[in-house]
Structure formats: structure tokens, C-alpha cells
Amino acid sequence: MKNKSDGRRRNKSAHNEAAAGNKNGRRRRNKSGRNGATADDGDRLSNLPNDLLLNILERVDTLDAIRTCILSRQMLKLPTMLSRFYLSVSSIPGHHQKPPRVFTQREGLATNCAVAHVTDNILRTRSPKITITKLKIRFVLVKLDSLTIAKSVAHAMATQKVDAAEFEIVTEKRYNLCSSADLLRFANQFNDLFGACPHAFAGLTRLWLENMRFGKLDIPNILSTCKLLEYLRLTDCDSGIHSVLQVEHTQLVELEIDHGKFQRVELICLPKLQRLTYNNWFSYEDPMYFGFLPQLSKLSLIKTAIRLDKSLELSQLLANVPSVGDLHLDFRSEKIWVLPECPKLLTPMLSNLQHVNLDNLPEGCDLAWTMFILEAAPSLNELCITVWDHRCTMMTNKEFRKKYGYCEKADVKWKPYALDFKHKNLAKLTIYGFQTDDNFMRDITCVVEHAINITEISLYDRKVCGHCGDLDPVIKNMICPSRYPETDEERKQITEGLGLASRAVVHFRS
């Protein structure tokens, strides 16, 4: 009787743990089906074929998968049979809850320790006959845990077939809480780890680093060691204030740089680079130099500009990369930092451009300047414009804006170089934040006059993010009510006002 009672208590405890991590209650429903049967016989999930179970388990965080497997003796062996792993310090029990609960640093470090233990245990006990198709580990840069993870991965790379491996390395402090000394300390900790386990990093295909201030030669050293690297992301990393980063790599396909205090990023030789994102550069001058990048096809530039920031001339910035076919410029609801140019100067750089996304233009400003891209990009097929004063990301304090050089709204001066030019390839115009005012109507009419083969104009209301409802009431009162056309009569008047041969071209997608 005692053993039976203990078994019931264990089953009840396991059931409670599963229900906490699986909000839809499937475990609760399965409990009723286990009356009069053992847990293994009655559990529908564990009775599925192994191939199907593995397919399911590889779609979730590996820690969550293990938490599921320990509920059934039949499933206990499955973690060592997985071919895809995602082990993350973010996989704290309850992290799927909505709204997500706030986790303590202690919980995070405990989970980090669990990630290290599970990584070591699974990689050392699994069958080497099963190829690891993807191994992704997100962990906090803590000495013992990091060393355990890196050594385990290095051993797996030496003894098993690993198709793709990825590290996301975060620090104990968020960037806004870091001092300069913290950034230097985190970089030193990383260098110690890198030096202790170079073979783990040499086998990586993807790497994401955060909150580190390296020495001058550290990043080039990382790149020279990580010869298989296809993706690199540096978030709030640099080599010192006003430092210059030079990047050369034979395999890198995608590069992302978020913030950091680089004076300039020089992409010297990246023969396979296809996608590049630079988010909020530090320099007041041209932030980048493009050397040999023959395959660069997608470029994304994001900047919250102030008065001192130089307006970029695309004819100079893109002089060596005429291969760009997809251009994304995000102005973060502030100053327009691109200078309209003569199409004769710009066309050689934009001759292959097919998709342009002008994101977060400030509300209330004239949009006519956007036509300079249409004039200079003869192959352009799709133009997307988002007009939005996104108050969640904007600095709204007037004194702060004045002190740090934020600009007041102002129209960008521009005039067409050829009044009668015709664009034959633009097929789609999309506008987010459309309002029934002369500014939008003028812009759309201008596009329609020149884009003679346009087939679709999609008009959306302002974008809304999940945090906008939490804004201070004072800030909310600054937001003008939307004037997006809601009635059929309003939409009919707008369509007629554009003078299109076919009204079916215009779509109101609220």
C-alpha cells in the first residue's frame, strides 16, 4: 500500500509539472484517460511512434522537451535520439505564459547551469550515428557554465557529425546597466573562453555576441578562427569608442551590427555576404565602407538621427555594391537621414534595386522626396512606405530632445529632375499609416502619374504595437485620432480622386 501511495504521489507531482508547462491542458485531459491503467499505457503522447515523437520534440526548446520526456519511461531515451537541439537560458519554467512573468537573476543563472549540464549530458551520451543537423545554445557568459558548454560542443564536433552549430552569448547585465568597465570585463571573459575552447568556435556556423568592448585585434581574431561562420551578429559590441572595425571573411553570408561605438565599419572582402543590417551607428559621418561584396543583395539601415548626423548620399555609400536588390531604410520616426540625389548620379548604384521599404517616416511631413528613388531605380518592382510616429520608441520629453539635438519635424526639400519620366516596372505600392489628407493623396497621385504599369495600391491604417496601450496618458493625448477611411463612401471618393483607369487597383486593407 505504501508503494502504491508513493507512486500516486509521484504521478500527481509529474502531472502538476506538465500542466504548468503546457497551458492548453492536454495533460489534464490525458489524466482522465489513465483511470484504471498505468501511466505508460494510458498516455497518448508516449504511445506515439518514436519518429513522430522526435519530430514533435525537435520543434520546442530542448529543456521543455526533456521536461516532457521525464513524465514517461518510454520517452526517457528520446532526448539522446534528437537531431536538432535548442538549449536556451530563456527556457525557465513558465516562460511561455502570457503575459510572461518576470524572472529573477537567480532563476536565470540556475537555468544557465541546467543548460550547461544538459548540453554536456546529451552530447556525451547520444549515439554518434545520428547526425546533429542543428545545435543552437543560448547561454550567459558565466565561467564554469560557459566552459562546460564549449568543451562539450568541441567534443561533439570532434566525435560526431554536426551540420550547423550556433552560440548566442549574453551577459549577466543588460547594456543599459553596464559601465565601460563591465563591457571590458565581459570581453575579457569571452576571450578567456575563446582561448580555452578554440575548436568549439572554429566549428560554429552562427554567432551572436552582446555587451562586449574588445581590443583592436580581438574581432579579427574571432573571424579568422571561426572559418565556417555564415552569420555574425554584434549587439552593443565594439573595440573602443570611435574605433574602426575591419571585416574580412570567406564564408560569411549575413552580418548584423546593433549599436556599438564604432566610428566606421569597413567591409573589406566578404565574397559571400548577401545580407547586411546596421542598426543605429555611432558616427556622425559615413558609417560604412563597402569593399569587395559581389553578392550583397539585401541592405537594411536603421537610425534614430539627430541634428548633427550627416545625411547619407546613397551614390557614395553604395558606389561599390550595385548588386543590392532589396533596400530597407528605417528612420525611427525622426530625422530623414538620406539625401535625395540626381538620378544620373544614383542610377548606376540602384540599377538592380527591386524592393524598397521606407520605414517609420515621421507623420505630417511631405512624402514627395521619396520619388527620387523611383526616378533612380528603373528595375524597382515594389515600394513600401510606413508613416508612423511610434511613441513607444520616440523620445517625447521636450527638454531632453532639445538638449541632445533631436530635430523638429521638417519637410525634405526635393524637386523632380524630369517632370515627364515614366517608370515601367513598379507594380505595387504599399502605404502603412495612410490618412485622408493632401499629403498622402499628392504622393500617391505622383506615383500613379509616373508608374504607368502599377497594378496594386494597398493602403493600411497606422500600425499598432502591443505596448502603445501602456503609454502615459499625457503622451496618448499627443496622438492625433486616425483619419483612415472606414466607410465605402470615403473610400470611393479617394479612389476617384486618384484618377485611375481601374478602381480595382486600390485596396483598403484595414
Side-chain angles (χ1 to χ4, degrees):
M1 290 296 293
K2 183 178 180 181
N3 291 338
K4 187 175 182 180
S5 175
D6 290 342
R8 286 176 179 171
R9 281 196 293 269
R10 286 194 297 270
N11 287 341
K12 184 175 180 181
S13 174
H15 165 70
N16 289 340
E17 181 181 345
N22 192 342
K23 198 172 181 180
N24 62 18
R26 285 180 291 184
R27 297 297 186 208
R28 298 188 191 97
R29 293 196 295 271
N30 285 342
K31 184 179 178 181
S32 63
R34 288 201 292 267
N35 291 336
T38 65
D40 286 346
D41 290 338
D43 186 349
R44 295 179 182 177
L45 181 62
S46 63
N47 284 332
L48 293 174
N50 281 351
D51 288 349
L52 184 56
L53 284 170
L54 289 169
N55 186 284
I56 294 171
L57 294 174
E58 287 180 347
R59 296 172 185 269
V60 300
D61 294 348
T62 304
L63 288 184
D64 286 342
I66 292 172
R67 293 180 187 119
T68 302
C69 289
I70 62 175
L71 301 178
S72 166
R73 282 177 296 177
Q74 181 180 337
M75 296 175 63
L76 280 176
K77 64 181 181 297
L78 292 181
T80 60
M81 299 169 62
L82 295 171
S83 63
R84 297 170 64 89
F85 298 89
Y86 176 39
L87 292 148
S88 173
V89 67
S90 303
S91 299
I92 299 173
H95 68 285
H96 293 306
Q97 295 177 6
K98 293 185 178 180
R101 68 182 182 87
V102 177
F103 302 113
T104 65
Q105 185 183 42
R106 185 175 181 179
E107 286 179 297
L109 293 177
T111 304
N112 198 63
C113 184
V115 167
H117 173 74
V118 170
T119 300
D120 183 56
N121 188 49
I122 287 183
L123 294 184
R124 290 184 182 276
T125 58
R126 68 186 303 278
S127 171
K129 296 180 181 180
I130 303 174
T131 298
I132 299 176
T133 58
K134 185 175 182 179
L135 174 62
K136 179 178 179 180
I137 308 176
R138 179 178 175 85
F139 59 95
V140 181
L141 189 61
V142 178
K143 184 175 182 179
L144 293 179
D145 295 343
S146 302
L147 201 57
T148 299
I149 292 169
K151 286 185 175 180
S152 301
V153 171
H155 181 266
M157 289 175 174
T159 59
Q160 305 175 42
K161 183 171 172 40
V162 182
D163 288 343
E166 176 178 358
F167 281 173
E168 292 183 3
I169 304 179
V170 300
T171 55
E172 295 177 73
K173 290 184 179 181
R174 296 193 304 270
Y175 180 77
N176 60 342
L177 300 177
C178 288
S179 64
S180 294
D182 289 327
L183 299 177
L184 292 169
R185 176 167 60 87
F186 293 144
N188 287 333
Q189 288 178 354
F190 174 82
N191 286 335
D192 290 343
L193 176 65
F194 188 81
C197 303
H199 296 298
F201 287 90
L204 293 181
T205 52
R206 295 172 66 91
L207 177 62
W208 183 4
L209 303 177
E210 300 182 11
N211 309 335
M212 299 178 193
R213 177 153 291 161
F214 293 102
K216 182 178 180 180
L217 300 178
D218 289 342
I219 296 178
N221 183 43
I222 293 169
L223 290 170
S224 64
T225 300
C226 301
K227 296 185 185 301
L228 302 181
L229 210 60
E230 297 176 1
Y231 171 89
L232 175 64
R233 183 172 181 180
L234 302 174
T235 298
D236 290 308
C237 293
D238 53 53
S239 301
I241 298 176
H242 299 300
S243 56
V244 175
L245 173 65
Q246 293 187 332
V247 183
E248 296 184 69
H249 199 278
T250 59
Q251 301 299 317
L252 203 62
V253 175
E254 184 170 2
L255 174 63
E256 293 188 45
I257 302 176
D258 307 304
H259 308 282
K261 298 294 173 61
F262 294 115
Q263 177 70 22
R264 186 175 169 90
V265 174
E266 298 180 353
L267 307 181
I268 306 299
C269 183
L270 296 162
K272 292 189 177 181
L273 190 72
Q274 297 176 19
R275 297 176 295 278
L276 172 65
T277 299
Y278 200 169
N279 180 4
N280 266 313
W281 51 90
F282 178 69
S283 172
Y284 293 136
E285 301 300 321
D286 289 343
M288 307 194 79
Y289 163 77
F290 297 116
F292 183 65
L293 289 76
Q295 295 191 42
L296 183 64
S297 59
K298 186 172 183 179
L299 175 62
S300 180
L301 300 175
I302 305 161
K303 175 70 171 175
T304 304
I306 59 175
R307 189 174 294 108
L308 293 177
D309 286 312
K310 178 184 176 182
S311 293
L312 300 184
E313 297 179 39
L314 296 180
S315 62
Q316 295 183 14
L317 182 69
L318 306 180
N320 292 335
V321 283
S323 57
V324 174
D326 191 328
L327 181 63
H328 174 220
L329 307 177
D330 188 342
F331 300 93
R332 303 299 299 271
S333 310
E334 295 291 351
K335 173 187 172 181
I336 304 300
W337 40 261
V338 168
L339 189 67
E341 297 181 74
C342 170
K344 289 184 178 180
L345 290 175
L346 198 52
T347 296
M349 294 80 205
L350 303 186
S351 58
N352 292 310
L353 196 60
Q354 296 184 0
H355 303 278
V356 171
N357 188 349
L358 303 177
D359 214 356
N360 294 317
L361 303 181
E363 294 178 15
C365 295
D366 191 359
L367 299 174
W369 67 272
T370 62
M371 289 294 296
F372 90 93
I373 292 180
L374 197 63
E375 283 190 271
S379 300
L380 191 64
N381 179 260
E382 183 175 347
L383 175 61
C384 180
I385 297 174
T386 298
V387 179
W388 190 17
D389 283 352
H390 190 191
R391 303 289 178 173
C392 289
T393 61
M394 293 176 66
M395 179 53 62
T396 56
N397 183 283
K398 291 183 178 180
E399 292 183 1
F400 185 96
R401 291 180 66 87
K402 183 177 180 180
K403 179 179 179 180
Y404 290 99
Y406 284 80
C407 301
E408 298 301 320
K409 291 184 179 183
D411 292 335
V412 176
K413 294 181 180 180
W414 173 87
K415 65 178 181 179
Y417 285 87
L419 294 174
D420 59 346
F421 88 94
K422 300 300 179 185
H423 198 287
K424 298 179 180 180
N425 288 310
L426 187 70
K428 184 177 181 181
L429 172 66
T430 302
I431 297 180
Y432 290 91
F434 175 79
Q435 304 287 284
T436 53
D437 62 28
D438 292 341
N439 185 22
F440 285 96
M441 293 298 290
R442 280 195 308 269
D443 183 55
I444 298 173
T445 301
C446 190
V447 172
V448 169
E449 286 178 354
H450 297 290
I452 57 178
N453 293 320
I454 195 164
T455 58
E456 180 182 333
I457 300 174
S458 295
L459 305 177
Y460 294 80
D461 199 354
R462 288 177 184 148
K463 289 184 177 180
V464 177
C465 84
H467 301 289
C468 287
D470 300 327
L471 288 171
D472 187 284
V474 176
I475 298 176
K476 284 184 179 181
N477 290 334
M478 298 167 61
I479 302 174
C480 297
S482 174
R483 298 191 305 280
Y484 184 78
E486 300 288 353
T487 67
D488 290 341
E489 183 62 29
E490 289 176 319
R491 295 178 177 183
K492 180 180 177 181
Q493 290 178 1
I494 289 170
T495 305
E496 290 176 346
L498 295 175
L500 292 164
S502 172
R503 296 177 183 175
V505 171
V506 183
H507 304 272
F508 294 91
R509 306 185 187 277
S510 55

